[in-house]
Every structure is written in structure tokens, then in C-alpha cells.
Amino acid sequence: MKTFKYFITGLLGLLLVTSCQDDTADVGDITAPSNVVITTEVVGIDANNPNGDGSGTVNFKVNADNALAYHFVYNGETTLAPQGEMTYDFAITGLQTYTVTVIAYGTGGNSTSKTVQLEVLALYEAPADLLDMLVGNTSKTWRIKSESAHFGLGPVGGGVFAEWFSAGAETKAGTGMYDDRYVFNADGTFTHITNGTVFGRENLINEIGGPGDGTADGADILNYSYGDYTEGWSLNAPGGIETLSLTGLGFMGYYTGGNHKYEIFARSASEMTLRTTDGNGEFDWWFVLTSDDGSEPTAFVSEFNNLSWSDEFDTDGSPDSAKWGYDIGAGGWGNNEVQTYTNESANAIVEGGFLKINAIKDGVMYTSARLKSQGLYDFTYGRVDVRAKLPASAGTWPAIWMLGANFETIGWPASGEIDIMEQTGGDKNSILGTFHWLDSGTNTNASYGETATENTSTTDFHIYSLEWTTDKVIVLIDNVPYTTLANNADLPFNADFFLILNIAMGGTLGGDIDAAFTQDTMEIDYVRVYQ
């Protein structure tokens, strides 16, 4: 995305600049700021787009001699900008004229103000489902989701959720994060209910008045005293990425400074995954917010009700060859796995109404099976339900997943991958739902996933599901969503995929295999696809 910097005084016909000095400068130790210079950066402005790229985003920066602090005044709201920098997302659709006033404060409270007017083009209109998700009819209250991976950091511009660090469930309890509430109102106001304290990065939290009485913990300040406040919120989509912006020093979850913009990486009706770059430009910080108040979840209602394909495994013997083929052989399968896949009945058999995939130690090697519907049943969009009980042995890596049907032509990850259920070899109380695709910017694997706790996955049957539409891809367990990715035309999840069922041994997720391992099984009651 191109940006173009220019001085306000140089905008011919677009900008009107006025100023007033409220007090006389240099009176003893009382000094009013002078030489106020405001620089703006209209995102996307160039010779062909004199009013910007339509995102409506304008970055402001002000400098003045003898200034100690700056305030920005827009639309009747005054916002402190300690570094003299402010970003506004002007959201009124069309080409509009906006007025912004900057007040520079010097010693003794003396001030000098300058007002600018500029024309900005805004073309973005937030889709109805996004507005409904965020505010409902009039307002909606959100909180940081503490139940699973919900907070972390990664490289700036990274496409993988919390690539460098991801906080586990409740691991930030007692910091001043989990009791905060964030209220988005339909009138454009945002209220942060802090319950008295917030959580932030030490060298940045000073912006909101630090150091205060919080507790230093490494690079963090825990339980910093900070009262409730109200700011504004707006939506736009620079570069096609839905972005939530807060005015002033508004923030959510963990104070990171920066531009107070949160890219919406994934969203559903009650959950959104946000990414923001900190004020040091060092990290991208990731947050998962939920509008669920923590009570028992309401039943998820699928969009798909017509059964289009299934296998109930009612006929004993080999799996139905009209529905299932096999991947056969060894070689690690790209993940350092140690098993050899076969089509032998010892490794895949239908018995008593269940498909049994058996991983077996055979001397110094391991055998298993990987069944796939490739070329027999490929489909786009729908609901997938797989009722299964998972193997309990350390080192087993069971998976219920899907690959793009063009996998053999364009390769992975360009084909896309949907992991409806994976379980590591070392943690049999958790399951993973993950999406993989090719990040066109870096030409590398991009992925997003979440973990759900399920302590009876190896002793009881559970239903592992996928809800797949043009707008979203959701992974569920027992009809409770726990991983959601917003789908769009740039992702591979808009073409045919096929189903895969397997147990791997060892490898990147299987880990160390129990030395006493002899055999273990994934039992599958049924596989059903609704469209």
C-alpha cells in the first residue's frame, strides 16, 4: 500500500490551516509553544488518488518548539497524544471534509493551537454481519477469552497466530486482564470497564500515566491502577483486511502502545482474533476476544441439513472401496513420522459397526493406515461429522482432516489443509483444530489453530465436526465451536477437498513413542457430510 507524506501548509485547495496563540511566549519561565507544524499521511494518496485509497485513514504528526504535550480535538472529543502522533479513520462514506485541531501545551499551561481541514475519501462500508457481530442491535460486551490459547506475540506482519509465544488457559490470571470488559456501542463509542486495574508493557504503559502502583514483572506491568474510560471505535479495511480502530489511547487486553488498530484475523458471531503491532515496532500482539459471558454455550445451529455422503461402517470387512482409498508407504510424510502405511486388514478393518484404524509395532517398525476419499468423494462447503474415540498411547498422532483436491497439482500448502481433529502424542487431554494455507506475501506456510480440552477423548466417543461456508470455516467438538477462521476469496477454502483418516507414529506432533507400545486404535462410528 502506498502512502504519501506532505506538510499541511502545502496542500493546495484541499487544506485550510489556521492557528492561534493563546498566550504570549517567553514570559519568564512561562513559555507557549511556537512554530507548530502538522504533517499528515493520507494512506494511499498518489497522483491518481489525491484523496487517498478509500480506506479513510489519515496519520497525523505534530511538532512545536517548547511543547510538552499535545491534544487532538476531533468531532468534539479531545484526546491526549504524548508523542504528538494520532491516526484517525474517517468512516463517513464518500469524499468528506474533516476538521482536526491540535493543541500544543507549554510551561505554565500555556498553549498554541492549529486547525486543519482536509478532504478524505472513504469507500469502505462495514458488512452487516460484522456490525452485528461487534455491537448486535445496540451494544455488545466483550472480554479476553481465557479458556484456551488467547494471547501471545509473534513477528511483525506474521501470518501465524502467536508464533513466538501463546498463553495457555488462565495463565494471565491476576494481571488485571481477564476481569476487563469492552463495550462496543452502535453510536460509535467504546467503553473499557477496567475494574480498577489494567495490564501492559512497561516501557509503553507510561503513555497512560505510569509508572503508577502496578507490579513490575519482567517487561510487563501487572495490575496498573487505571479507571474506566470511553473512546470511539471505527471499522475500515486497509489492504482488504478488516480493521478495528480505537481513538485516543483506547486498547484491549494488554497495553502495547502503537496506533491502537486491531486487524481482525478471524471472527465468528461470538469470537474474534485480533492482531496489533506494538508501539516499539518489535512485535505483533495477538488477542482472542469473546462475547460469551462464560456460561454454558448455546447449541450451535448448522447451516447444512441434507445428508449428501456418509459411511456408517455397518458391513464387516475391508473399508468400502467405493468410498475409501489408501495412502501407502513410509518416508516420514513430511513430518518425520516413523510408521509405514498399508492397506492390510490388520491396520484398517470394519468390525461391529466401527472402522478401526490400528497402529501396530511390528518388530522394529510400526505400521498403520491412512484412508482417504480422494477421487471418490471431493466436495466444497458443508458440515462434516465424525464420531470417534482416539488412541491413548504416547507417540500416537491421530488425525481427522482434509486436503484440497488439487493437492497433487499445486502442492501443499497452496492446496489448503483443514485439520478437523489432531491430537499430539504427549497430550491426550487436548485436541487441535488447525487451518493451513500459502501466505502469498512470504510464499510460506501460514496457519491458524486453537486447542480444546477434552479429558475423555481416549475413553469416550466424541463428535468432531467442521462447518464450512463461503464466509467461515469452523471446527467443533460435540457441537461446540473452538476454532474459527474467516474465509475469503484469497484463501484456498473455496474449492473441492477430500477426507483423510489416519494414525501417524512419532514425528512433529507424535513425539516420543512409549517404549512399551504394541498396538492402539482409533475407532470411528461414522463419517457424515451434510450440504
Side-chain angles (χ1 to χ4, degrees):
M1 178 180 297
K2 294 182 178 179
T3 56
F4 181 77
K5 293 186 178 180
Y6 55 91
F7 285 103
I8 290 294
T9 52
L11 270 179
L12 299 177
L14 291 181
L15 214 56
L16 171 66
V17 181
T18 62
S19 66
C20 62
Q21 187 162 302
D22 301 318
D23 298 274
T24 303
D26 299 324
V27 180
D29 292 331
I30 300 175
T31 304
S34 59
N35 298 321
V36 179
V37 177
I38 303 172
T39 305
T40 69
E41 181 184 48
V42 178
V43 173
I45 195 169
D46 57 26
N48 296 320
N49 300 284
N51 305 113
D53 62 1
S55 66
T57 301
V58 180
N59 301 316
F60 291 82
K61 186 172 183 179
V62 58
N63 290 290
D65 295 339
N66 303 312
L68 302 177
Y70 301 95
H71 283 177
F72 280 74
V73 182
Y74 168 66
N75 201 26
E77 295 185 359
T78 300
T79 304
L80 172 66
Q83 308 302 320
E85 299 180 1
M86 182 64 62
T87 296
Y88 286 111
D89 293 302
F90 298 105
I92 302 175
T93 304
L95 183 62
Q96 306 290 339
T97 300
Y98 298 94
T99 301
V100 177
T101 298
V102 179
I103 305 173
Y105 286 91
T107 57
N110 288 282
S111 64
T112 302
S113 65
K114 180 166 284 191
T115 297
V116 299
Q117 288 183 335
L118 69 165
E119 289 185 335
V120 181
L121 179 66
L123 299 176
Y124 174 74
E125 292 188 49
D129 68 314
L130 175 56
L131 292 172
D132 183 63
M133 177 209 75
L134 194 62
V135 303
N137 292 326
T138 56
S139 69
K140 188 179 285 189
T141 300
W142 295 78
R143 64 178 175 87
I144 293 291
K145 183 179 180 181
S146 59
E147 293 87 339
S148 61
H150 56 279
F151 166 61
L153 76 160
V156 173
V160 180
F161 175 82
E163 182 177 348
W164 290 344
F165 165 76
S166 179
E170 301 290 342
T171 54
K172 295 301 177 182
T175 64
M177 171 188 272
Y178 295 150
D179 61 351
D180 287 17
R181 296 295 181 266
Y182 315 104
V183 185
F184 291 90
N185 299 296
D187 65 0
T189 57
F190 164 82
T191 300
H192 183 169
I193 302 171
T194 69
N195 282 297
T197 62
V198 296
F199 177 34
R201 195 155 182 81
E202 182 177 24
N203 65 330
L204 295 170
I205 204 166
N206 292 333
E207 294 181 3
I208 58 175
D213 58 357
T215 302
D217 181 21
D220 298 332
I221 295 293
L222 317 182
N223 295 306
Y224 175 74
S225 295
Y226 201 64
D228 300 350
Y229 64 88
T230 297
E231 287 286 354
W233 66 269
S234 61
L235 289 166
N236 65 356
I241 301 174
E242 293 177 343
T243 300
L244 176 61
S245 300
L246 303 179
T247 62
L249 300 179
F251 69 98
M252 293 177 284
Y254 176 80
Y255 188 79
T256 65
N259 54 21
H260 308 278
K261 290 177 177 291
Y262 297 84
E263 293 179 342
I264 303 175
F265 189 78
R267 62 180 173 89
S268 65
S270 61
E271 190 170 299
M272 55 181 169
T273 299
L274 306 176
R275 174 176 62 184
T276 188
T277 303
D278 67 28
N280 297 321
E282 294 179 322
F283 310 117
D284 272 355
W285 293 89
W286 298 77
F287 307 88
V288 179
L289 271 67
T290 178
S291 58
D292 179 5
D293 62 6
S295 59
E296 288 297 316
T298 57
F300 180 87
V301 179
S302 176
E303 294 185 22
F304 306 100
N305 302 301
N306 298 316
L307 185 65
S308 64
W309 185 92
S310 69
D311 198 336
E312 304 296 324
F313 305 111
D314 290 335
T315 303
D316 287 358
S318 298
D320 188 344
S321 60
K323 296 179 178 179
W324 301 104
Y326 296 84
D327 278 322
I328 298 175
W333 298 91
N335 301 294
N336 300 311
E337 304 160 30
V338 299
Q339 80 289 334
T340 296
Y341 286 128
T342 83
N343 59 1
E344 300 293 328
S345 60
N347 295 119
I349 190 73
V350 177
E351 291 180 332
F354 299 97
L355 169 64
K356 298 179 180 180
I357 297 178
N358 300 310
I360 302 170
K361 185 174 184 180
D362 183 5
V364 295
M365 64 179 291
Y366 301 88
T367 61
S368 184
R370 180 155 121 171
L371 280 67
K372 59 182 183 178
S373 70
Q374 183 181 19
L376 301 171
Y377 182 69
D378 305 329
F379 66 101
T380 305
Y381 310 132
R383 165 85 173 208
V384 179
D385 286 341
V386 181
R387 186 173 185 264
K389 183 169 65 173
L390 308 183
S393 301
T396 56
W397 174 4
I400 300 167
W401 55 299
M402 300 168 63
L403 273 178
N406 57 0
F407 164 73
E408 293 182 345
T409 302
I410 67 173
W412 184 95
S415 63
E417 176 182 330
I418 300 171
D419 298 321
I420 301 173
M421 184 288 303
E422 287 185 292
Q423 187 173 67
T424 68
D427 182 1
K428 297 302 180 181
N429 294 317
S430 301
I431 55 171
L432 291 74
T434 312
F435 310 103
H436 298 273
W437 65 95
L438 181 69
D439 183 341
S440 59
T442 62
N443 202 38
T444 58
N445 169 38
S447 61
Y448 172 71
E450 294 282 0
T451 302
T453 299
E454 182 44 70
N455 297 326
T456 63
S457 65
T458 64
T459 58
D460 297 335
F461 281 87
H462 295 276
I463 300 175
Y464 302 98
S465 302
L466 173 72
E467 182 86 3
W468 176 19
T469 74
T470 57
D471 300 321
K472 56 187 177 294
V473 196
I474 305 171
V475 175
L476 311 90
I477 179 172
D478 296 329
N479 207 39
V480 177
Y482 71 95
T483 309
T484 300
L485 179 73
N487 197 8
N488 62 61
D490 295 327
L491 294 175
F493 309 119
N494 299 285
D496 279 355
F497 274 61
F498 60 89
L499 296 159
I500 305 175
L501 311 169
N502 71 282
I503 302 176
M505 295 296 297
T508 53
L509 287 187
D512 294 334
I513 302 171
D514 184 353
F517 177 85
T518 58
Q519 179 174 329
D520 212 338
T521 302
M522 176 164 65
E523 295 185 65
I524 299 171
D525 185 13
Y526 57 75
V527 179
R528 298 170 181 168
V529 179
Y530 300 85
Q531 290 184 300

